[in-house]
Amino acid sequence: MSHPSRRLVIVVRADPVICGHSGEARNLAEVALTRGFDDVRLLTWPIPTLEAAGLPLKPLDRLLPYSDGITVERPEAVGDYRVPDGRHLAGLTGRLVELLSEPVPTVCLSMYLVPHTTVVIDAVNAARAAGFTPQVRTIAKAVGSDVTNVIRNCLREGRWGAATVLFTTFLANDELVAVSEYTRDEIIATAEEVDAHSGTTFAEQCRNRVTVSYPPIDATAFLDPEPAAVDAALARRGLRRDGYLLFLSRVARAKGIYDLVIAYGQMRCRDDVKLVIAGNGPALEHVRAMAKEDDRIVFLNDVDDDEKTLLMNGCAAYALPTKPEPDFVETFGIALAEKMLAGGGPIVTTLTGGTGEAVGDGAIIVEPGDINALADALDRVILEMTPEEKASLATRARAKALEFDRGAVFDSLFPQATVGS
């Protein structure tokens, strides 16, 4: 029986989930095929399970295909209904054990400590205990909400045991990665809190071992879209170039969507530009109700990856007024970097979490939660900023975003020395 020569397994919430990290997984997988991996697998969840969880999903009939050589596996649950969550974890873990039992040098990347890193560590331990001697190197990537949501909630609720499990699982990997410097700092800060309570030494270990790997973006998918394609896409939506302000992200309170809708109501430019809210999320229906009397606000909840670029390129301005909430802090802002590549009008955002690392000096910055400042900034961008000022800002934005091109990010995250060691 023949086997691949090198395998990459990424355990992640993959497409169709609307999540920047599903895009990360796709981009890393595609680059892996050009870097000597001849078997690349995304180990993820059955689509009915994702739907039942209430996650915002992309249109299932318009998902971009993966290249040959990339296999998306969605193991079914193991066992019966009496163990609802554990059945799916058993399916993921069991399938990974099967892959690790083969004599193939493997790199295994997990995104999200809960539960994907747990899946990886359990599978590696099970494979070794069974005597399979897997040739595997594990990389755990903390994507942000691992810390700002899961670990922070453990600390707020005094659940020190759960926090201890999370850190020991993270540290059990061969390599530890954070999605931004902000996330790395948060990992260390939360580890210090656990250490102070429990006498552990997590902070020192994290300080010494955690590196940063920014999200990989396929720059070619965003750069210089065909003007005719942009115009055609806008016409299908009843829009015109530079005739709308765009919010394209998960529709959630922490993304600043409520602030943006309120600010739009008081903007001087509202007669010149519509507000387009593109995306899905937990706040969508509430925001729809807020805006039901305003026919200048347009909702698009079926935007696919191809159309995303075209909408970004055609907008008069892009707004992501994200702000810290107890359940979420923007730890990078992948959509911001994508917008900076796509062109179009300027970005107005906030310095929340890791967004400053994403935008550099390529965006207009307002204070999180300052609705008046948000309205003023968007009025200035749309009504007062000169073409020369916009062009200068766009040049800086593109140069910054090109730092996150997927090839360079992949080569930093997966140097040759990590494969099969």
Side-chain angles (χ1 to χ4, degrees):
M1 180 178 178
S2 62
H3 293 285
S5 61
R6 296 170 70 197
R7 174 179 286 152
L8 172 63
V9 179
I10 304 176
V11 187
V12 67
R13 282 189 337 205
D15 280 341
V17 179
I18 296 176
C19 171
H21 308 297
S22 67
E24 284 194 70
R26 174 185 287 273
N27 285 323
L28 292 173
E30 293 288 348
V31 176
L33 296 177
T34 70
R35 299 298 195 269
F37 289 90
D38 52 358
D39 185 28
V40 181
R41 295 172 186 262
L42 301 186
L43 204 56
T44 188
W45 301 83
I47 289 176
T49 303
L50 298 175
E51 292 173 330
L55 291 166
L57 304 181
K58 299 173 184 175
L60 295 178
D61 60 344
R62 282 182 279 150
L63 296 178
L64 294 178
Y66 291 87
S67 296
D68 291 341
I70 299 173
T71 304
V72 180
E73 297 201 44
R74 303 181 185 274
E76 292 296 330
V78 173
D80 62 28
Y81 66 92
R82 287 170 290 186
V83 192
D85 295 328
R87 295 185 307 131
H88 290 289
L89 291 181
L92 288 165
T93 307
R95 180 58 185 138
L96 185 51
V97 169
E98 292 166 0
L99 293 171
L100 294 175
S101 71
E102 298 176 355
V104 180
T106 299
V107 176
C108 195
L109 168 68
S110 57
M111 296 185 189
Y112 292 104
L113 306 187
V114 179
H116 301 140
T117 301
T118 301
V119 167
V120 171
I121 295 303
D122 286 353
V124 170
N125 288 339
R128 287 174 176 158
F132 294 135
T133 61
Q135 302 174 65
V136 61
R137 189 159 188 85
T138 60
I139 305 173
K141 184 169 187 178
V143 299
S145 53
D146 292 320
V147 184
T148 59
N149 179 282
V150 179
I151 295 179
R152 282 291 180 198
N153 277 336
C154 287
L155 300 183
R156 277 193 293 270
E157 297 167 7
R159 303 175 68 179
W160 304 101
T164 297
V165 171
L166 290 168
F167 275 112
T168 55
T169 301
F170 186 41
L171 290 161
N173 287 269
D174 297 310
E175 295 181 35
L176 313 177
V177 180
V179 74
S180 61
E181 290 288 353
Y182 167 79
T183 303
R184 181 180 184 276
D185 291 344
E186 283 293 294
I187 291 170
I188 294 168
T190 53
E192 288 173 344
E193 291 187 48
V194 177
D195 290 348
H197 179 273
S198 305
T200 49
T201 60
F202 295 141
E204 180 180 3
Q205 295 178 68
C206 290
R207 195 176 291 111
N208 292 335
R209 295 183 58 197
V210 178
T211 60
V212 173
S213 179
Y214 289 117
I217 298 172
D218 180 10
T220 60
F222 293 92
L223 291 172
D224 303 320
E226 288 290 333
V230 175
D231 292 337
L234 299 187
R236 287 194 298 270
R237 296 293 194 176
L239 302 171
R240 60 177 176 81
R241 189 182 290 270
D242 295 325
Y244 61 97
L245 162 63
L246 179 64
F247 172 95
L248 193 157
S249 185
R250 186 165 56 91
V251 184
R253 180 180 296 276
K255 298 288 187 175
I257 186 59
Y258 291 108
D259 292 349
L260 179 58
V261 170
I262 296 168
Y264 181 69
Q266 65 189 51
M267 289 180 200
R268 290 181 287 120
C269 67
R270 61 171 281 117
D271 291 334
D272 299 288
V273 294
K274 296 179 179 179
L275 170 59
V276 173
I277 298 173
N280 287 288
L284 178 59
E285 292 310 312
H286 191 198
V287 175
R288 279 187 186 275
M290 284 178 61
K292 66 180 181 180
E293 303 298 330
D294 193 339
D295 61 4
R296 302 287 293 167
I297 299 180
V298 178
F299 290 88
L300 305 177
N301 63 358
D302 59 347
V303 174
D304 60 26
D305 288 321
D306 285 333
E307 188 181 20
K308 174 172 67 172
T309 302
L310 306 178
L311 288 173
M312 288 177 166
N313 182 267
C315 71
Y318 175 87
L320 185 68
T322 183
K323 59 184 183 180
E325 294 283 347
D327 63 338
F328 180 83
V329 178
E330 195 77 62
T331 51
F332 180 76
I334 295 173
L336 293 168
E338 292 173 341
K339 171 64 181 67
M340 296 192 314
L341 291 167
I347 294 170
V348 176
T349 189
T350 67
L351 293 183
T352 297
T355 58
E357 297 174 64
V359 301
D361 63 352
I364 305 298
I365 304 299
V366 298
E367 284 295 316
D370 191 333
I371 294 172
N372 291 333
L374 177 62
D376 289 344
L378 287 165
D379 276 332
R380 178 164 56 86
V381 164
I382 293 170
L383 299 176
E384 301 170 10
M385 187 174 282
T386 67
E388 293 75 19
E389 290 173 321
K390 292 180 181 179
S392 176
L393 190 62
T395 298
R396 299 197 302 271
R398 175 174 288 195
K400 179 63 180 177
L402 284 171
E403 297 176 9
F404 311 121
D405 184 59
R406 65 188 188 179
V409 173
F410 183 97
D411 291 338
S412 176
L413 184 58
F414 299 102
Q416 293 296 316
T418 69
V419 178
S421 59

